[in-house]
Amino acid sequence: MRRLEGKMSAPPGVEAAREWMWLRVGLLCSVLAGLGPFIMRFEYARNDLFGHEMIPVADTGKFEMRKFLRPDAVMTEFSDLMQGLFFGFILLAVCLLGLLLWHYMTYRQGSMSIYLMRRLPDRTLIHRQCWTVPLLGLFLCAATALLLLGCCCLIYRYRTPEVCLPAGYRRF
């Protein structure tokens, strides 16, 4: 990762380290924007599985609240709970595509260094410098989204009481 943050991974005049830092911030925000609402919806659906009853405490005249699993309770489908899970990642991917366009536009500003870059012996240098951060960012975005989906699936499977899982769901 250190080598990718060097000068060769971005066009001249663009700080690659700063772009990688913003990519990490974008990935973190995407994870939090997906995981937070998922956990809230999951906990609301999980709490609906339980009922509450008041039980008298012997010889005190007081009552205590008791939580019990309702016998007819079925957990909300996983697909209903994951609405908007990937919104942050989609937004980040669109921003990375914009970054790609901006990288190419940096060669056409000021001294128009695009003409110099086309005459270099290594004609792929311009494309490597423009595509490195956005392409690796898209890969990291997809990989992080899949990891988030896996984590949410594990949360759903292991935090839901087994008798309340919808038909077709089994623990693995």
Side-chain angles (χ1 to χ4, degrees):
M1 187 69 128
R2 213 21 127 196
R3 185 171 188 277
L4 292 175
E5 291 179 0
K7 285 197 170 280
M8 295 306 287
S9 67
V14 175
E15 292 182 40
R18 180 172 284 171
E19 288 184 349
W20 284 108
M21 186 263 313
W22 282 113
L23 176 63
R24 285 186 219 119
V25 168
L27 286 171
L28 179 65
C29 290
S30 297
V31 167
L32 294 177
L35 190 60
F38 172 80
I39 289 177
M40 283 190 342
R41 281 191 294 271
F42 174 77
E43 287 300 323
Y44 283 134
R46 188 173 181 276
N47 284 337
D48 287 343
L49 301 175
F50 296 94
H52 296 79
E53 63 183 356
M54 299 292 285
I55 297 177
V57 178
D59 299 331
T60 61
K62 296 182 180 178
F63 291 89
E64 69 178 29
M65 184 73 73
R66 185 180 195 195
K67 190 173 171 181
F68 67 94
L69 186 62
R70 291 186 297 134
D72 61 339
V74 176
M75 184 66 169
T76 307
E77 291 282 336
F78 179 70
S79 59
D80 294 337
L81 296 176
M82 60 179 269
Q83 294 173 352
L85 188 66
F86 301 119
F87 178 74
F89 294 104
I90 293 169
L91 187 62
L92 182 59
V94 169
C95 290
L96 286 169
L97 292 176
L99 180 66
L100 174 66
L101 293 174
W102 181 71
H103 278 181
Y104 275 110
M105 294 306 293
T106 59
Y107 285 103
R108 298 186 183 278
Q109 295 173 357
S111 65
M112 296 292 282
S113 59
I114 186 76
Y115 299 120
L116 173 66
M117 295 301 289
R118 287 183 179 166
R119 289 188 310 214
L120 289 176
D122 184 7
R123 291 178 171 254
T124 62
L125 180 63
I126 186 172
H127 303 296
R128 276 198 321 254
Q129 287 180 343
C130 290
W131 281 85
T132 301
V133 175
L135 196 60
L136 289 175
L138 286 172
F139 173 75
L140 288 173
C141 193
T144 308
L146 286 176
L147 280 172
L148 179 64
L149 179 64
C151 289
C152 290
C153 186
L154 289 173
I155 289 170
Y156 181 82
R157 294 260 175 140
Y158 290 106
R159 292 272 301 145
T160 302
E162 186 152 3
V163 296
C164 297
L165 285 170
Y169 285 85
R170 280 191 233 132
R171 294 204 191 270
F172 47 89

